[in-house]
Amino acid sequence: MSRTTSSNADEFPELLGRYGWTPERARWWDAHLVGFDPAADPRPGRVSRVDRGECDVITASGPQRVVSDSQRAQGDIAPATGDWVAVIDDPELGPAVGAVLPRTTAITRRDPGPVVVEQVLVANVDVVAVVHALDQSFSAARLERFLVLAHDSGAEPLVVLTKADLVDAAAAAAIARELTDATVVVTAAPTGEGVDEVRRFVAGRTVVFMGLSGSGKSTLTNALMGDEVQVTADVREGDARGRHTTTSRELFLLPGGGVLIDTPGVRAIGVWDAWPAVHRVYADVSAHASQCRFSDCTHGQEPGCAVTAAVAAGTLDAQRVARYRQLMIELTELDDQIDESVRRQKRGRPPSRRRPGRSG
Ligand SMILES: Nc1nc2c(ncn2[C@@H]2O[C@H](COP(=O)(O)OP(=O)(O)OP(=O)(O)O)[C@@H](O)[C@H]2O)c(=O)[nH]1
Ligand SMILES: [Mg+2]
């Protein structure tokens, strides 16, 4: 198939449409393409996998292995799985990412490295499916943290409770009751329970699976794909922990329409600038917090705290409030660290590794 630099939505190759190319993206492309040298043959594509320095991109003419940054200026966006990019022919590097198109949504976390920076895990997803195995130990803090991440991304959250065949129905119902604000689907791989429900929920959209290792993300991926596209592995006996089988974030085209991104299992995720999402996930606590006497109340010992009053009155659950406070502390610390990091960079010094105080 010949490549084209025109992207009129009507004439756009069918393959890209199946990967989620929209008229809005085509319009952006038409408006910004002028910046490229036509000799570089810029063509749109979706990043299906990112490795060190290179990535796989689905273009109209099929998958291509490309260099992930073509002399990218510092501060430009690094491509993430799910990104739409302009692939160009670089005279020195060969096929390379020339630009990353604006993202509609992005799952971001605090980079686990020593420098306080944001890391985009996946981009342009419509649904974030938080996958929890019913035979693994349940942590409300962990699940709520994943939901904060999902809300913060701008995508729609979905909770998938897997391995229903290993527990009694009451266990699934008890967890579902805790998640009053989320859509919950219960699945069981051996019987296929719930798989069609997930398929209907994600049809025609891009979904990413996130959750602990061993929670069954790749097993569900295979069920939805109708094929063994991903390797799966037994969990450890005793604590049902996974073995970190999946090692990269990878994008698949679903047979019935839509795109799926399977990811490696993660235990802890550091939030990044997710204030509105925390208020959303803890809307009950937040509603009381807005009644506190002091607007910067930390819901500790302050007088006139409506949150501690609600806990004392039995209206709010003390443990849920503790989880909310923990996230608020992390976000406040992060705000301080971002400032410190930026200040130090401006002075030409590496960012601090210690936790800075408020006065910086
Ligand atoms: N009984 C039962 N086992 C399941 C179900 N879903 C997954 N498993 C098993 O759980 C184990 C882990 O599943 P995976 O799909 O590899 O888990 P994962 O979330 O992809 O794990 P990582 O790639 O390590 O993050 C495998 O042995 C699966 O066969 C289920 O619904 N019921
Ligand atoms: Mg996996």
Side-chain angles (χ1 to χ4, degrees):
M1 187 188 291
S2 69
R3 286 171 184 156
T4 171
T5 52
S6 166
S7 69
N8 183 310
D10 298 333
E11 64 185 68
F12 218 80
E14 189 250 348
L15 181 66
L16 289 189
R18 284 161 64 206
Y19 275 92
W21 186 250
T22 57
E24 290 74 34
R25 293 195 169 101
R27 274 195 288 279
W28 186 95
W29 181 267
D30 288 340
H32 289 78
L33 201 71
V34 286
F36 288 106
D37 177 358
D41 188 21
R43 58 249 183 220
R46 191 162 195 194
V47 176
S48 63
R49 180 190 167 122
V50 177
D51 296 304
R52 200 173 283 271
E54 292 190 342
C55 50
D56 292 331
V57 179
I58 311 292
T59 68
S61 50
Q64 258 201 304
R65 186 80 173 159
V66 309
V67 175
S68 58
D69 63 342
S70 162
Q71 297 148 4
R72 235 177 338 109
Q74 258 195 343
D76 277 4
I77 310 167
T81 303
D83 261 326
W84 284 96
V85 296
V87 176
I88 57 166
D89 288 329
D90 186 288
E92 282 161 28
L93 303 170
V97 171
V100 175
L101 272 64
R103 293 165 173 150
T104 50
T105 64
I107 298 191
T108 54
R109 69 166 175 186
R110 180 184 171 150
D111 192 301
V115 182
V116 186
V117 286
E118 174 186 33
Q119 183 188 33
V120 174
L121 296 177
V122 289
N124 303 315
V125 293
D126 304 303
V127 178
V128 177
V130 180
V131 182
H132 169 74
L134 288 162
D135 69 333
Q136 290 183 324
S137 68
F138 177 73
S139 155
R142 188 171 58 230
L143 211 68
E144 286 163 1
R145 195 175 273 266
F146 275 122
L147 286 173
V148 166
L149 205 76
H151 279 291
D152 182 55
S153 73
E156 186 179 357
L158 171 72
V159 176
V160 181
L161 302 176
T162 61
K163 311 195 189 186
D165 53 302
L166 299 181
V167 297
D168 59 42
I175 292 179
R177 260 199 310 278
E178 292 229 11
L179 303 163
T180 48
D181 192 30
T183 305
V184 181
V185 178
V186 178
T187 67
T191 61
E193 178 189 343
V195 174
D196 279 343
E197 208 179 327
V198 176
R199 188 177 283 123
R200 278 196 297 275
F201 196 89
V202 305
R205 306 202 276 176
T206 297
V207 59
V208 62
F209 287 164
M210 308 223 41
L212 280 187
S213 176
S215 58
K217 300 177 293 300
S218 299
T219 303
L220 191 55
T221 298
N222 291 342
L224 290 167
M225 293 294 290
D227 195 5
E228 298 291 304
V229 294
Q230 286 289 68
V231 176
T232 64
D234 285 348
V235 295
R236 291 194 322 210
E237 275 191 42
D239 60 8
R241 279 207 192 179
R243 299 172 190 276
H244 293 279
T245 311
T246 305
T247 53
S248 68
R249 295 179 274 275
E250 200 161 345
L251 187 145
F252 299 95
L253 198 56
L254 287 166
V259 171
L260 187 162
I261 301 174
D262 189 16
T263 67
V266 276
R267 170 154 290 275
I269 290 231
V271 287
W272 181 265
D273 205 19
W275 293 98
V278 171
H279 290 301
R280 172 80 203 266
V281 171
Y282 296 89
D284 50 345
V285 186
S286 198
H288 285 91
S290 64
Q291 306 297 316
C292 292
R293 185 181 306 163
F294 302 112
S295 61
D296 60 349
C297 184
T298 65
H299 322 302
Q301 304 295 322
E302 293 96 331
C305 174
V307 172
T308 43
V311 171
T315 321
L316 281 179
D317 174 48
Q319 296 202 330
R320 186 164 158 79
V321 169
R323 300 194 293 271
Y324 166 84
R325 290 185 69 205
Q326 175 57 37
L327 282 167
M328 299 303 260
I329 289 168
E330 268 178 55
L331 286 172
T332 307
E333 282 179 5
L334 184 70
D335 277 355
D336 290 346
Q337 288 174 324
I338 295 171
D339 287 352
E340 171 76 355
S341 175
V342 169
R343 270 198 304 275
R344 281 178 167 258
Q345 274 169 9
K346 280 192 181 141
R347 282 186 247 133
R349 283 159 50 184
S352 165
R353 289 181 187 220
R354 76 183 166 84
R355 194 193 128 196
R358 275 195 157 273
S359 61

